[in-house]
Amino acid sequence: MRTCHFMLLLSIALAGACQEQDPPPDSASDPGRAEVAIDMEVPPLQDELATIYRLIQQDETGSARIRLRNWMEANGEDARALFLFGLAYQREKRYAPAADWYVRATQAQPIYPPTWHFLGWSRYYLGQPRLSEEAFRHHLQLTPGEADSAYGLGLVMLDDARLDDAQSLFTRSVELLREQDGRNESRAKALFRLAEIQELRGDDAQARALLERALAASDRNEEAWFRLIQVCRRLGDEPAVLAAETRHRELVTQSPHGARP
Amino acid sequence: MTLHALLTGLAITLLAGCGKPTSTNSIPESAPRFTEVDDSGIDLVMTSGTLPSTQIIEVNGGGLALLDVDSDGDLDLFVANGATLDAPTAGPGCRLYENRSHDGRIEFHDVTAASGIDLHRWAMGAAAADYDGDGHVDLYVTCHGPNALLRNRGDGTFEDVTTSSGTGDTGWGTSAAFADLDGDLDLDLLVVNYLQFDPSAPPPSARFKQQNVMAGPNGLSAQHDVLYENLGNGTFRNASQGAGMHAVDPAYGLNLVILDLDGDERLDAIIGNDSDENHLYRNEGDGLRFREEGGARGIAVNRDGHAQATMGMAIADVDGDERPDLFTTNFSSDTNTLHLGRSADAWDDRTSTWGLGLSSRTMLGWAAVFGDFDHDGDEDLISVNGHVYPQASMDSMDSEYEQPPSVMIRSGRRFRRATQEETGQWISEPRRDRNLVRGDLDGDGDMDLIIGELNGPVRVLRNETTSNRRGVVLSLRDDRPISRDRLAPGARLDITAGDETSTRWMPAGGSFQSTHAPQVHVSIPPDQRTIDVEVHWPDGIREQFDAREAATRIELLRGTGTDPASD
């Protein structure tokens, strides 16, 4: 019974982790941009933790931390609460403290697999590719079906110039997402990165085809429109360049971003 | 703990071990090694407001310039020094240091008072060049407030000719560079401006990563850059409007490089902008006429189309295709960026695959420079770092306020971060560094460094790399009566030593608010006795200098080579 309950919790948590929702409101200010969707469904744990999770979603991160401390004083150190501590910092794009809490969560009980996924992203944004890789691989060992960990690991491989490895990971991400409704943005992201690999290999025709697939999945992928401009320019297709520039400009105007205040 | 949890935890631990990190980096054979010179004679503590910084004007720090003030063949140092918010026009003053190195010992002496340089406003940047072609290198100092042109009289003293020359732009000047942009054999002047800022009425604070921080640049008014045409009679004309500098909206300019980017034998300019797209002013010839093409050429933004906060800029032919590649430093939680030239007129961001991406995310980078510092034949990359916000820490902003320099070692088609063991103690010291210039300070054929720290010391770093290859320092000179462009900033040199070839550019801009020594440096195999150099002079003329004795220093005098087309 206990095992069944654990597996149920795990399944629900992982299913929740796969849900894609809107990115945090200030994600546009993060130049890394490969922003993980942190608004996964609340794992059906204790009521107070669910409430705290909702506070984090609402950017009430300070209040969330106070309530988490209170909760842990009453209940002891718990991987899920520690994870939420990390998530509160990640919501603020403060990846160093987030990673510290995630590490504590990985060392506590009960086992809470999404922690490794978010730890992977925190390490990535902190410029720690080896630690990011380790966390993503750990998560994929636990949950081979998690497309976003495959995607994150692919980015690490891309930064290592391991194009073949990156390609297989992005391809895996696309394939996993094919079976999941409502994750078009994530599919577009992965296709966009596959296009980047083709660009790096000098195959602009193939890159263009992949970018067009990405934009068919989500025409709000600003980065894909930008790359399409570059690729089409190199291919000499000026009408396509103009069309992509128009759409890209619209998206940038709607969501300007910069590296600093 | 239940048995199930214990077993699950064990399984997870074992599974985690399956994901061992891997690396494709190979270890290079060499790395540059520098040692700080404790008794360099530069005792200045630079001023840029006070610590902790509270306003944007306080965070850039002052620039450095390496120039041969007294024409004695070595490199002297000018320091653009700032002021404070309570006395923004009455700072401690800029400084000039004479190089008196001898017997392998690097030594400078403060000659400011004797030089007549009496500049106490909030100085930002320093450009050095012989604008009037009299054989003596002059100084242009950008400031918050009127800039200053200081003419070198040739007797160890300078006179302020700002007013008579017409170069006293009143914007917030950051970087500037001289170069012959119209091909008429004298040096024009391009001044990069930042934004409008009144120290007595600073804007309210902004938010960054949940912290209240000093405001700017966003929300403040950007200023146009200024292009001055050298009229050849000691005066300049503001040619910005007609030259196309106002055809685009003003941006928060911080830096520039000038060189022939597209191989059309005319000098172009890239302006590095803060929180905005970088500008590429492509030279259209016919006098001073430029068209902004940064976006069309792929150099305005990073790979994903995002504008960055460009501070430092450095040029090199990283991939050996004889095209200029551009490296820029940027804000924290972003990456530095490497744009590779893919064709004569297109660049593409290849930061990640060259190993320069994730490694820079926690850094806020400033001045940067490429160089074959370790004499292994390829160019490594050095940049200095430090956050603008005193509140910065890993806990608050994923980035420390004081940060160590970055030394990125070339290893094939990748860079990797050097270690303290390889390069010396200096690389591990967190600082508030802002500026960096390189030049051969002691005449031993390798590139030394001078680093300026925000409200901190100016440090001299001697290159103590050991290598069996030899360093050669090249300089250019044009003494023809028809020319006033004596040192040819922006020129390109194609250098052949045996079966090794390399392409270098004579600095015009780059680093950050600073001027590198007017030198091009290469290392050559130990048994190589001669080198061949093809110079692409800034006016488009090429000249071949064959089989020059590979001495430690070589000066290539225009008119003494041959026409490459005649070969």
Side-chain angles (χ1 to χ4, degrees):
Chain A
M1 181 61 191
R2 183 173 286 150
T3 302
C4 290
H5 179 62
F6 175 79
M7 292 308 292
L8 179 62
L9 285 179
L10 193 61
S11 303
I12 293 170
L14 293 180
C18 295
Q19 296 280 331
E20 178 167 320
Q21 300 189 14
D22 293 336
D26 63 342
S27 68
S29 68
D30 192 308
R33 200 63 171 166
E35 185 65 36
V36 62
I38 65 169
D39 296 69
M40 66 179 189
E41 278 191 355
V42 177
L45 304 171
Q46 306 206 10
D47 290 345
E48 175 64 357
L49 291 182
T51 302
I52 291 169
Y53 177 73
R54 280 195 292 276
L55 284 173
I56 295 170
Q57 281 186 306
Q58 295 160 9
D59 290 326
E60 298 290 342
T61 49
S63 299
R65 281 193 284 268
I66 290 170
R67 294 177 76 149
L68 278 168
R69 285 195 186 90
N70 293 337
W71 188 91
M72 285 207 299
E73 279 180 13
N75 297 278
E77 198 158 275
D78 179 289
R80 297 156 299 183
L82 293 167
F83 165 76
L84 289 175
F85 258 114
L87 201 60
Y89 283 111
Q90 183 153 344
R91 184 77 179 183
E92 297 172 354
K93 295 187 179 297
R94 294 167 62 188
Y95 298 105
D100 289 344
W101 285 100
Y102 291 145
V103 167
R104 283 181 64 179
T106 62
Q107 295 164 346
Q109 294 295 325
I111 302 300
Y112 195 61
T115 305
W116 279 278
H117 172 83
F118 290 93
L119 179 58
W121 281 114
S122 291
R123 296 300 198 194
Y124 180 82
Y125 288 126
L126 289 169
Q128 300 169 339
R130 299 284 70 80
L131 294 172
S132 175
E133 176 182 357
E134 192 175 41
F136 280 132
R137 285 195 188 282
H138 198 142
H139 190 236
L140 286 169
Q141 294 279 358
L142 296 170
T143 58
E146 176 42 55
D148 205 51
S149 278
Y151 175 78
L153 187 55
L155 286 184
V156 176
M157 296 298 105
L158 198 54
D159 196 74
D160 280 347
R162 294 161 63 177
L163 299 189
D164 290 345
D165 292 337
Q167 183 176 24
S168 68
L169 284 156
F170 294 139
T171 301
R172 181 171 158 195
S173 181
V174 171
E175 288 169 353
L176 290 167
L177 290 164
R178 189 175 292 144
E179 299 161 8
Q180 298 171 25
D181 293 333
R183 298 194 69 187
N184 290 337
E185 293 279 352
S186 292
R187 192 155 56 245
K189 268 192 323 189
L191 287 163
F192 164 68
R193 294 298 173 188
L194 282 170
E196 180 173 348
I197 290 169
Q198 294 307 322
E199 268 197 270
L200 292 170
R201 287 179 172 146
D203 190 343
D204 281 337
Q206 182 64 16
R208 176 180 183 168
L210 285 160
L211 287 168
E212 288 171 347
R213 280 180 63 195
L215 291 165
S218 170
D219 86 332
R220 296 194 60 79
N221 189 314
E222 175 195 317
E223 292 80 10
W225 283 112
F226 178 74
R227 292 314 310 170
L228 189 62
I229 295 167
Q230 316 308 315
V231 170
C232 288
R233 182 172 284 137
R234 289 199 294 270
L235 291 170
D237 188 345
E238 277 307 309
V241 170
L242 292 173
E245 282 179 336
T246 301
R247 181 60 180 145
H248 180 253
R249 200 160 32 245
E250 285 173 7
L251 292 171
V252 170
T253 304
Q254 290 167 16
S255 177
H257 46 75
R260 59 185 293 189
Chain B
M1 181 180 289
T2 65
L3 177 61
H4 171 82
L6 189 63
L7 290 173
T8 306
L10 181 61
I12 287 171
T13 304
L14 291 172
L15 285 169
C18 298
K20 288 178 183 172
T22 56
S23 173
T24 57
N25 292 349
S26 59
I27 304 300
E29 295 176 354
S30 61
R33 186 160 193 89
F34 292 91
T35 302
E36 186 171 344
V37 179
D38 293 329
D39 52 353
S40 69
I42 302 174
D43 56 357
L44 174 68
V45 175
M46 296 177 77
T47 297
S48 183
T50 52
L51 295 177
S53 309
T54 59
Q55 300 299 331
I56 192 170
I57 192 175
E58 297 179 281
V59 303
N60 283 7
L64 310 168
L66 280 171
L67 67 162
D68 184 2
V69 167
D70 45 10
S71 302
D72 64 351
D74 60 23
L75 295 169
D76 309 299
L77 174 69
F78 176 80
V79 182
N81 206 14
T84 55
L85 287 169
D86 57 351
T89 58
C94 298
R95 298 285 188 91
L96 181 67
Y97 293 91
E98 181 188 353
N99 189 336
R100 295 184 189 169
S101 299
H102 56 91
D103 303 325
R105 172 189 169 92
I106 297 177
E107 194 173 303
F108 287 89
H109 284 250
D110 188 340
V111 295
T112 310
S115 75
I117 294 175
D118 189 26
L119 200 59
H120 291 264
R121 67 195 72 152
W122 203 314
M124 294 280 170
D130 179 8
Y131 81 90
D132 53 0
D134 65 355
H136 307 296
V137 183
D138 312 292
L139 284 162
Y140 187 75
V141 186
T142 60
C143 303
H144 179 261
N147 300 333
L149 180 60
L150 306 175
R151 180 178 170 273
N152 187 340
R153 292 192 182 101
D155 60 358
T157 67
F158 287 77
E159 62 176 323
D160 188 331
V161 295
T162 310
T163 303
S164 62
S165 66
T167 54
D169 184 65
T170 57
W172 175 349
T174 50
S175 296
F178 290 95
D180 181 12
L181 290 163
D182 52 4
D184 65 353
L185 297 174
D186 59 28
L187 296 175
D188 309 297
L189 173 61
L190 183 50
V191 180
V192 178
N193 278 331
Y194 195 37
L195 51 81
Q196 290 181 29
F197 181 82
D198 180 356
S200 65
S205 63
R207 297 278 288 174
F208 180 73
K209 298 213 179 217
Q210 311 296 314
Q211 308 283 319
N212 285 324
V213 296
M214 68 183 74
N218 289 319
L220 302 175
S221 298
Q223 295 177 322
H224 275 297
D225 304 321
V226 178
L227 174 58
Y228 289 109
E229 178 187 6
N230 191 333
L231 300 177
N233 58 0
T235 69
F236 289 78
R237 176 181 73 89
N238 187 333
S240 309
Q241 186 81 41
M245 310 298 289
H246 292 183
V248 293
D249 291 337
Y252 305 122
L254 283 177
N255 207 346
L256 81 167
V257 288
I258 298 174
L259 68 161
D260 179 5
L261 285 160
D262 50 9
D264 67 353
E265 302 181 341
R266 293 190 283 257
L267 296 181
D268 312 292
I270 305 174
I271 309 292
N273 293 318
D274 187 0
S275 301
D276 209 339
E277 295 185 0
N278 293 333
H279 290 154
L280 189 167
Y281 287 104
R282 187 171 161 274
N283 193 331
E284 297 196 298
D286 191 21
L288 287 172
R289 288 165 51 85
F290 292 84
R291 181 188 295 273
E292 201 291 301
E293 297 184 353
R297 304 302 170 198
I299 214 162
V301 293
N302 71 5
R303 175 162 199 88
D304 291 345
H306 301 161
Q308 298 182 282
T310 297
M311 265 80 81
M313 301 174 81
I315 290 285
D317 176 18
V318 170
D319 54 355
D321 65 356
E322 301 182 3
R323 297 189 188 107
D325 307 310
L326 172 69
F327 174 78
T328 57
T329 60
N330 295 302
F331 212 70
S332 64
S333 294
D334 195 354
T335 71
N336 294 335
T337 302
L338 177 66
H339 279 97
L340 291 190
R342 287 173 53 92
S343 64
D345 57 4
W347 283 260
D348 205 7
D349 177 351
R350 296 298 170 95
T351 307
S352 290
T353 52
W354 280 79
L356 294 168
L358 289 182
S359 62
S360 59
R361 276 195 66 90
T362 57
M363 297 294 181
L364 195 161
W366 297 89
V369 63
F370 283 105
D372 181 8
F373 298 105
D374 54 2
H375 284 187
D376 66 352
D378 57 28
E379 292 194 275
D380 307 305
L381 177 59
I382 298 178
S383 57
V384 295
N385 306 295
H387 215 286
V388 296
Y389 302 138
Q391 310 93 312
S393 68
M394 284 305 289
D395 190 62
S396 63
M397 295 184 187
D398 292 341
S399 181
E400 298 288 356
Y401 179 55
E402 296 182 342
Q403 303 173 5
S406 300
V407 177
M408 305 301 293
I409 306 293
R410 272 290 296 280
S411 178
R413 292 178 71 82
R414 292 279 287 182
F415 287 88
R416 68 167 182 88
R417 186 176 293 280
T419 64
Q420 178 185 330
E421 289 70 30
E422 289 172 310
T423 63
Q425 171 71 25
W426 69 287
I427 194 182
S428 63
E429 296 172 350
R431 300 273 190 170
R432 300 176 300 274
D433 288 337
R434 296 294 188 266
N435 285 298
L436 163 69
V437 286
R438 66 110 181 91
D440 182 7
L441 301 178
D442 50 4
D444 64 355
D446 57 30
M447 288 288 107
D448 309 294
L449 302 174
I450 298 183
I451 297 176
E453 180 175 4
L454 181 79
N455 292 327
V458 176
R459 314 195 300 285
V460 176
L461 292 154
R462 181 207 310 274
N463 189 331
E464 296 190 339
T465 305
T466 55
S467 169
N468 64 349
R469 293 167 61 91
R470 291 191 298 130
V472 176
V473 177
L474 296 147
S475 58
L476 301 178
R477 188 154 193 94
D478 184 355
D479 282 342
R480 297 173 304 155
I482 193 176
S483 174
R484 288 190 176 84
D485 182 1
R486 298 287 175 233
L487 305 180
R492 167 179 154 171
L493 286 73
D494 296 334
I495 304 158
T496 303
D499 57 0
E500 296 182 7
T501 60
S502 54
T503 300
R504 303 278 197 269
W505 284 266
M506 186 62 72
S511 191
F512 174 69
Q513 296 185 155
S514 295
T515 302
H516 294 300
Q519 298 175 332
V520 162
H521 167 259
V522 292
S523 70
I524 62 172
D527 56 350
Q528 190 64 40
R529 296 287 166 239
T530 61
I531 63 172
D532 305 331
V533 184
E534 181 176 319
V535 177
H536 302 226
W537 295 96
D539 61 353
I541 301 299
R542 298 187 186 191
E543 192 170 7
Q544 184 75 31
F545 297 87
D546 284 332
R548 297 287 156 141
E549 181 189 355
T552 301
R553 291 196 173 197
I554 302 174
E555 185 177 76
L556 301 174
L557 185 64
R558 185 160 181 176
T560 63
T562 59
D563 180 356
S566 66
D567 291 344

